[in-house]
Amino acid sequence: MVQQVSAEDEVVRLCQELIRIDTSNPGDHSGPGERVAAEYVAEKLDEVGVEARILESHPGRANVVARIRGEDSGRDALLLHGHLDVVPAQAEDWARDPFGGELVDGFVWGRGAVDMKDMDAMILAVVRQRLREGRRPPRDVVLAFTADEEAGGKWGAQWLVREHPELFEGCTEAVGEVGGFSLTVPGDRRMYLIETAEKGMAWMNLRARGTAGHGSMVHPDNAVTAVAGAVARLGTHEFPVRLTKSVRAFLERACMAYGVEFDPERPEECLEKIGPLARMIGATLRNTVNPTRLDAGYKTNVIPQEATAQVDGRFLPGHEAEFFAVVDELLGPDVQRDFVHHDHALETDYEGALVAAMEAALTSEDAGALPVPYCLSGGTDAKAFARLGMRCFGFAPLRLPPDLDFSGMFHGVDERVPVDGLRFGVRVLDTFLERS
Ligand SMILES: [Zn+2]
């Protein structure tokens, strides 16, 4: 007996069940890991005849990869990827149990509801329905459900790409998170932000060495002063605006949607209109550095030999060299830097058949949809998959109510996703796959 349940029917349950599997990732191996979630995903794929491999990078840190044969396996393959881990949640801060997966007032609540068990559930729901109905995708589709994205993907996407590149053979394009969601603009229309670029990451450790000594004496060679000075210079520096292709395209289209003139000299004017999302888009106008940690000394009257700080630097595609030149000048000769984490920036053109498929899929469900490319200020697993030569996009379609602060949901308290949005996403994703 083939179960006649549609993707729209089961996406909500899949999302709830995934949320109930706690996959909190504290950044080391002390969390519950992704193994249980990986087994859940593999079982859901197995039920529709897809053989999925569970690959552990470390005991309990599990990834799932599967390949669905398309109508034409000779064509380049498409990768659909979602991470299984979530950032931790403090239950006492939440209005609902962060791992309860409750359905309340038309929303599924819980950690991962938008980042990104929603998309994991949508991928599963769509694939399951298609295969139950015998509808193969037009070309091979590789599915990857990864571990450890929230800590940089060392035990997830980066590990898969390094240890098992053969699983992604033939994949030239990838679709994953942080894109496809709507932003309501005047005229009751919606922009849908499709991620085509990501800033690069330069998490740095700063270190100054001086001479240890007594706090009462004349002491020009003070490591604390040196690091504090460098931190202040970096923290107050404003990098110049650099409009990359994706950012310019976003601003042009956003200005049009809000009926303001696009002025490349004053891009902030347009951003003022778009609400809370301006926090994220605003950070893609320029390179940025934010100091985040300081550490030195152990006693008030002892000058320590060493002082350290950490800063979170983010650079735009095409502006990495410029970024480090400025950073080094601001650091000066007395402060050394090394990397806590360093990863590349990405940018792909907003054009081609895959982009057309995304746009058509959105318009088929929301006639006035305004799809726009944009640059993500953060980083995702796309950084790893791009190393295999894939063009990477963020497209996890969701139609959202106008008043929801969606960007605030990521890693936020009371994370939740509208049921309507999930159902919409399933329909869009199915049409997208059909045309991809
Ligand atoms: Zn995520």
Side-chain angles (χ1 to χ4, degrees), residues 83 115-116 149-150 177:
H83 59 84
D115 186 11
M116 60 174 296
E149 191 277 341
E150 296 293 0
E177 68 176 325

PDB file of all heavy atoms in Angstrom, residues 83 115-116 149-150 177, ligand 1:
ATOM      1  N   HIS A  83      21.804  21.565   7.306  1.00  0.00           N
ATOM      2  CA  HIS A  83      22.516  21.042   8.472  1.00  0.00           C
ATOM      3  C   HIS A  83      21.533  20.517   9.513  1.00  0.00           C
ATOM      4  O   HIS A  83      20.397  21.001   9.621  1.00  0.00           O
ATOM      5  CB  HIS A  83      23.488  22.069   9.065  1.00  0.00           C
ATOM      6  CG  HIS A  83      22.889  23.366   9.534  1.00  0.00           C
ATOM      7  ND1 HIS A  83      22.331  23.511  10.774  1.00  0.00           N
ATOM      8  CD2 HIS A  83      22.798  24.581   8.937  1.00  0.00           C
ATOM      9  CE1 HIS A  83      21.914  24.771  10.921  1.00  0.00           C
ATOM     10  NE2 HIS A  83      22.174  25.436   9.821  1.00  0.00           N
ATOM     11  N   ASP A 115      16.353  27.574  11.417  1.00  0.00           N
ATOM     12  CA  ASP A 115      17.798  27.371  11.172  1.00  0.00           C
ATOM     13  C   ASP A 115      18.213  25.997  11.655  1.00  0.00           C
ATOM     14  O   ASP A 115      18.740  25.879  12.751  1.00  0.00           O
ATOM     15  CB  ASP A 115      18.582  28.476  11.860  1.00  0.00           C
ATOM     16  CG  ASP A 115      20.064  28.421  11.545  1.00  0.00           C
ATOM     17  OD1 ASP A 115      20.463  27.665  10.642  1.00  0.00           O
ATOM     18  OD2 ASP A 115      20.838  29.123  12.211  1.00  0.00           O
ATOM     19  N   MET A 116      18.087  24.933  10.815  1.00  0.00           N
ATOM     20  CA  MET A 116      17.337  24.938   9.590  1.00  0.00           C
ATOM     21  C   MET A 116      16.586  23.632   9.387  1.00  0.00           C
ATOM     22  O   MET A 116      16.583  23.044   8.329  1.00  0.00           O
ATOM     23  CB  MET A 116      18.234  25.256   8.386  1.00  0.00           C
ATOM     24  CG  MET A 116      19.353  24.245   8.205  1.00  0.00           C
ATOM     25  SD  MET A 116      20.358  24.496   6.664  1.00  0.00           S
ATOM     26  CE  MET A 116      19.205  24.226   5.338  1.00  0.00           C
ATOM     27  N   GLU A 149      27.426  22.428  11.358  1.00  0.00           N
ATOM     28  CA  GLU A 149      27.462  23.702  10.624  1.00  0.00           C
ATOM     29  C   GLU A 149      27.609  24.873  11.580  1.00  0.00           C
ATOM     30  O   GLU A 149      28.303  25.849  11.300  1.00  0.00           O
ATOM     31  CB  GLU A 149      26.202  23.871   9.770  1.00  0.00           C
ATOM     32  CG  GLU A 149      26.267  25.023   8.768  1.00  0.00           C
ATOM     33  CD  GLU A 149      25.919  26.397   9.338  1.00  0.00           C
ATOM     34  OE1 GLU A 149      25.274  26.467  10.405  1.00  0.00           O
ATOM     35  OE2 GLU A 149      26.301  27.403   8.728  1.00  0.00           O
ATOM     36  N   GLU A 150      26.946  24.770  12.728  1.00  0.00           N
ATOM     37  CA  GLU A 150      26.921  25.902  13.655  1.00  0.00           C
ATOM     38  C   GLU A 150      28.277  26.164  14.311  1.00  0.00           C
ATOM     39  O   GLU A 150      28.460  27.175  14.990  1.00  0.00           O
ATOM     40  CB  GLU A 150      25.835  25.698  14.728  1.00  0.00           C
ATOM     41  CG  GLU A 150      24.408  25.654  14.163  1.00  0.00           C
ATOM     42  CD  GLU A 150      23.941  26.986  13.581  1.00  0.00           C
ATOM     43  OE1 GLU A 150      24.714  27.947  13.607  1.00  0.00           O
ATOM     44  OE2 GLU A 150      22.799  27.031  13.093  1.00  0.00           O
ATOM     45  N   GLU A 177      20.998  26.937   2.760  1.00  0.00           N
ATOM     46  CA  GLU A 177      20.238  27.848   3.618  1.00  0.00           C
ATOM     47  C   GLU A 177      20.514  29.326   3.404  1.00  0.00           C
ATOM     48  O   GLU A 177      21.385  29.714   2.643  1.00  0.00           O
ATOM     49  CB  GLU A 177      20.503  27.513   5.091  1.00  0.00           C
ATOM     50  CG  GLU A 177      21.919  27.827   5.511  1.00  0.00           C
ATOM     51  CD  GLU A 177      22.164  27.586   7.000  1.00  0.00           C
ATOM     52  OE1 GLU A 177      21.253  27.808   7.810  1.00  0.00           O
ATOM     53  OE2 GLU A 177      23.271  27.198   7.354  1.00  0.00           O
TER      54      GLU A 177
HETATM   55 ZN    ZN B   1      21.937  27.504   9.624  1.00  0.00          ZN
END
